[in-house]
Amino acid sequence: LNRSILSSRYTPSAATEVGILEQQAAGQSQITQLLNTMSGFFYDQMAEKVVEEGEAYGAANPITLEQLANAQQSGEDVLKKYGYGTKGKAARSKALEGLILDVETEAARTFTALEINAKATKIDPGEYAEQLDATILGFTNVTKDFPEISNKIKSTLSVSASGYLKEYYKDIAKQELENRKRKYTSAFTSSLESLPQEIDSYIDNGGTIQDIFLKKQKTLRDAAFVSDISSAVLDSDLKQFRKEFVQTLFRAGGEEALRDEKASNDAIELLSRQKTNNNKINNIYNFLKPDEQQDFIKYLMDQDQLQNKATKDMADQKENENKLNEDIFTQAMANEDYPKAE
């Protein structure tokens, strides 16, 4: 074109003219493509905005269980107000998400109430499972008109209910274990509480302290087996039981010796000839190991000293009271307060 302007004699060749036409066509094609791209972009932007508006409307106006229950009674279509098309579809989807959340929230409240009642009444796990299943069925029936969410709700609630049931089984197992341990502990304690009375009964019938000890050990082993107590724990408890058993024997022997106010005499006799004139004290002494026997003798002597001190303290207290009364009497007489003196 420039050459034709510079020279009127210039005539482009046929090839040149074809090239010019091709370039023009190519330019128009690029413009058309650009317009199509721009048109598609604006269409996508518009569609995205429509979806956003639909989702915003659905989120702001979710379907609730109450609305759904009312609609099922009246036959009303709860989705009608959300419209149709792209915007309506987005609004419905978001509104149904709100329904799912409402169902899950209400189901959680129901599950929690059932759990509290089950633990309080200690119902059978099978009955508790039936209550959970009935709850799931109830909520899925309410949403049966929306299969796309009903299946999801059923799956979610089933997982949740399974968790509640599993925790209930754990709670029952824990409670049973605690009950068994409580019985084991009770056997441990009662064995010591009844010991003083059993000593007299066994000795009167020709038995020994060793017989009592072996009997009580067997009771503890049986209780440990029933309560599923480990061997390590049982061994440790038996050692502790031996210590407390011996201390209980000490107290029983001390009370026996103090009854005749001759604990020190019994202690001296045990030191000198390993026996006394008291059959009960002898049985206790013979059961003990050598180091425990020495501790028992010391215990009897300590008890004698404590008794003597208690006797002296009582005498001192009485003497002080008498002296105080004498002083009050003397002062009352001096003041001629004869009623007080009397």
Side-chain angles (χ1 to χ4, degrees), residues 123 152 187 333:
I123 66 173
K152 180 180 179 181
M333 291 296 292

Side-chain angles (χ1 to χ4, degrees), residues 116-140:
I116 293 173
N117 179 69
K119 289 182 177 179
T121 58
K122 294 180 174 57
I123 66 173
D124 182 77
E127 183 180 348
Y128 182 47
E130 289 178 359
Q131 292 177 356
L132 294 172
D133 289 340
T135 301
I136 296 172
L137 182 61
F139 282 110
T140 51

Side-chain angles (χ1 to χ4, degrees), residues 146-294:
F146 309 103
E148 67 274 20
I149 68 165
S150 183
N151 292 333
K152 180 180 179 181
I153 288 174
K154 183 177 181 180
S155 175
T156 302
L157 297 189
S158 295
V159 172
S160 181
S162 177
Y164 276 91
L165 185 59
K166 186 181 296 183
E167 286 300 316
Y168 188 63
Y169 271 112
K170 287 182 180 179
D171 189 67
I172 290 177
K174 180 181 178 183
Q175 190 64 43
E176 288 180 350
L177 179 60
E178 289 177 353
N179 289 339
R180 291 198 300 269
K181 287 184 176 179
R182 194 176 295 113
K183 290 179 181 178
Y184 169 71
T185 304
S186 177
F188 189 100
T189 305
S190 62
S191 293
L192 294 171
E193 290 176 346
S194 61
L195 179 58
Q197 294 76 23
E198 290 184 67
I199 291 176
D200 293 334
S201 176
Y202 264 71
I203 292 175
D204 292 342
N205 289 282
T208 65
I209 302 296
Q210 182 70 18
D211 296 333
I212 302 176
F213 182 71
L214 293 176
K215 173 191 171 185
K216 291 185 177 296
Q217 263 198 338
K218 183 179 184 304
T219 301
L220 287 178
R221 290 183 186 279
D222 292 344
F225 177 77
V226 173
S227 302
D228 198 24
I229 303 298
S230 68
S231 299
V233 172
L234 176 60
D235 290 342
S236 175
D237 286 348
L238 287 175
K239 290 179 182 178
Q240 181 63 29
F241 179 74
R242 166 82 193 195
K243 292 180 181 179
E244 296 191 22
F245 186 88
V246 167
Q247 288 301 314
T248 305
L249 291 179
F250 278 22
R251 288 191 291 271
E255 290 174 2
E256 182 72 15
L258 292 173
R259 186 174 289 114
D260 297 328
E261 298 184 355
K262 57 174 186 175
S264 60
N265 293 338
D266 288 332
I268 292 172
E269 287 184 355
L270 289 175
L271 272 174
S272 60
R273 58 193 187 98
Q274 284 76 53
K275 68 177 182 178
T276 69
N277 294 325
N278 189 305
N279 191 33
K280 182 176 180 179
I281 293 178
N282 291 341
N283 264 276
I284 293 173
Y285 182 79
N286 291 334
F287 168 79
L288 301 174
K289 297 176 182 178
D291 58 328
E292 294 170 343
Q293 289 177 339
Q294 297 304 311

